Amino acid sequence: MTPGDPTVPTVPTITGPLDVHREQSALVVEHLVTHGSATRSELANATGLGRGTIAGLTARLLDAGVIRPSDDAHGDGRSTPLSLSGGDRVLVTARLTLDEAVATVASLAGDEAARFTEPLPPPPPASQAPAKTQALRVPTAPGGAASAAAAGPLNALATVIGRAVARAERAGHRIADVTVLVDGAIVGSPAVVITDPRFGAEPVDVLGALRSRVPGLEAVEAALPLPMQLVPAAAAAASVELEALPGIGDVLYLDGDTGVSAAAFAGHRPLTGAHGLGATFGHLPIVPGGLRCRCGQQGCLATIAAPDVVLERAGLFSYAASDGRAAALEELTLRIAEAEDRARWSWLDAAHWIGRTLQVVVPTLDPAVVVIGGYWGGHIGDIQSALQANRPTVGGGAISAIPAFSRAVGGPDAAFVGARRQARERLIADPLLLVG
């Protein structure tokens, strides 16, 4: 036999343990997750890896039980379609939206199969919200028991997660990931949630509260490839916006619907900070002599720009209590467009302080783009004008024109889409998590 002779068997180039080749294995697994079964030839074309590399990788993945010959296998081994052994696994994702607790069941590819909702109790007027007079202490040890204020939202969240888990079990699908999205900062170890307006001022052990409220959740978690995850909703939504901004990795994302939420990315990586407090935009004390915030500080942006505050000042609190906050924010936007005095004044006051906060944050982070989500996105010009009202004039005013502003394109489900994508990335980063 001579080199190049077709009778010489091809020697796979992958000969070491699977974990040595995780990045290449992840490319193969990701293609199978998102596109379904594929032959080795199709995998080589899709991933850009050589045929010898694919032969070695698929052999290792088959031996490990990560992939298997597809049910529609035919022909010789090279043309046999391969599929993911654990392809029937599902992702459970939950969060508190404007008026509901929502949990979804989706495939590993992110296709939603079921959605469950539970209404939230209406919030008290912002003017009656309890103030906290002591500075917020960030816990680093177990704690954060649910307060009375947090009980209602936690109960609703537990209800929908329980329904989602039951749906997956009835359908015979194993759960690969459980992610809970929150609007506050995630700090400490074990992780607790702070500054989430739905849970009140005190730190809350959200996952611990859910384990005690959802029957069988601890058993579900014990069978997960990775522990349950707490993820900031703004960061999950911002990851979707990054996909819509090719070539840009430095982004500040803002959303004013469920609270004053923000996420910052630098080089496509989220900036969470040393203690998880990065991008706590709503709790920058920006208003001199302002109101006492629930967090204990005075003059936080949340005291002037949180949705409940803006709605109450616009005379729409009763509307929100009867029709829901989502409907009330739509009505607010309509009244602003119609130049109704009280609504316009309430919003412009909030926009002024959002812009003042950006005057501090933008030079610090220097994002390429500020993405505005939620109802704020419909008034992006007011926010941009408030920022530019006090920008440097050096360089012929060039600095005053940056950063660019962009309205969010991910829609109301962006956080769910982003969280599912992040869950899939965590799983395929180590393909052995998807054995069987």
Side-chain angles (χ1 to χ4, degrees):
M1 295 185 292
T2 60
D5 189 327
T7 63
V8 177
T10 301
V11 178
T13 61
I14 299 301
T15 57
L18 183 60
D19 59 359
V20 175
H21 312 284
R22 283 182 179 174
E23 291 186 8
Q24 293 176 328
S25 300
L27 291 175
V28 171
V29 173
E30 182 175 21
H31 183 81
L32 295 176
V33 166
T34 54
H35 299 285
S37 62
T39 65
R40 289 168 178 80
S41 178
E42 290 168 339
L43 289 171
N45 292 333
T47 62
L49 299 174
R51 292 180 183 272
T53 300
I54 288 293
L57 285 172
T58 54
R60 293 286 181 183
L61 291 168
L62 283 163
D63 288 344
V66 177
I67 63 175
R68 59 178 175 78
S70 179
D71 292 337
D72 57 349
H74 56 81
D76 59 26
R78 289 173 298 175
S79 62
T80 298
L82 302 171
S83 60
L84 195 65
S85 297
D88 64 337
R89 297 197 186 206
V90 294
L91 311 172
V92 173
T93 312
R95 74 166 298 193
L96 300 176
T97 64
L98 275 165
D99 299 302
E100 300 173 318
V102 179
T104 65
V105 180
S107 68
L108 289 177
D111 300 319
E112 188 173 309
R115 174 172 294 225
F116 303 91
T117 63
E118 181 73 11
L120 295 173
S127 58
Q128 296 178 15
K132 185 173 176 59
T133 58
Q134 299 296 320
L136 181 64
R137 295 169 294 178
V138 178
T140 57
S147 65
L154 284 170
N155 289 339
L157 200 56
T159 297
V160 293
I161 290 175
R163 291 172 183 166
V165 168
R167 166 62 182 268
E169 292 176 343
R170 286 196 306 271
H173 295 307
R174 290 166 297 171
I175 299 173
D177 178 87
V178 177
T179 293
V180 179
L181 296 159
V182 295
D183 289 318
I186 301 166
V187 302
S189 180
V192 295
V193 178
I194 63 172
T195 69
D196 189 320
R198 306 304 183 84
F199 298 136
E202 295 297 327
V204 176
D205 179 1
V206 171
L207 294 183
L210 292 173
R211 290 184 187 104
S212 67
R213 285 168 163 79
V214 181
L217 185 58
E218 289 186 338
V220 169
E221 184 177 17
L224 293 176
L226 294 170
M228 286 195 298
Q229 300 282 324
L230 275 178
V231 172
S239 69
V240 174
E241 301 303 325
L242 277 171
E243 293 292 323
L245 297 168
I248 295 176
D250 299 279
V251 167
L252 175 63
Y253 173 86
L254 306 177
D255 189 312
D257 274 8
T258 56
V260 178
S261 302
F265 280 73
H268 290 92
R269 294 180 177 275
L271 292 175
T272 56
H275 307 95
L277 297 173
T280 48
F281 191 82
H283 290 276
L284 292 176
I286 200 71
V287 185
L291 297 173
R292 181 73 65 180
C293 181
R294 293 184 181 188
C295 77
Q297 298 180 135
Q298 189 174 5
C300 289
L301 178 63
T303 65
I304 198 71
D308 291 341
V309 174
V310 177
L311 288 173
E312 185 172 354
R313 288 158 65 95
L316 288 169
F317 173 75
S318 296
Y319 195 112
S322 61
D323 290 55
R325 281 187 290 188
L329 289 176
E330 290 180 4
E331 179 66 17
L332 172 69
T333 296
L334 178 63
R335 293 187 186 187
I336 292 171
E338 293 176 345
E340 194 270 330
D341 285 344
R342 189 170 178 180
R344 185 70 175 156
W345 166 80
S346 178
W347 163 246
L348 286 179
D349 193 35
H352 167 75
W353 291 108
I354 296 167
R356 289 294 298 271
T357 307
L358 283 171
Q359 288 165 9
V360 174
V361 173
V362 162
T364 304
L365 298 180
D366 191 23
V369 180
V370 175
V371 179
I372 310 293
Y375 89 96
W376 285 7
H379 311 286
I380 197 169
D382 295 329
I383 296 174
Q384 189 170 13
S385 296
L387 166 66
Q388 293 174 339
N390 187 30
R391 297 305 311 278
T393 57
V394 297
I399 293 179
S400 66
I402 59 174
F405 276 67
S406 175
R407 185 172 183 176
V409 298
D413 271 354
F416 282 101
V417 173
R420 293 170 192 152
R421 184 179 301 160
Q422 291 170 355
R424 182 172 70 249
E425 290 172 353
R426 287 193 297 271
L427 291 165
I428 66 174
D430 184 355
L432 292 177
L433 295 175
L434 293 172
V435 170

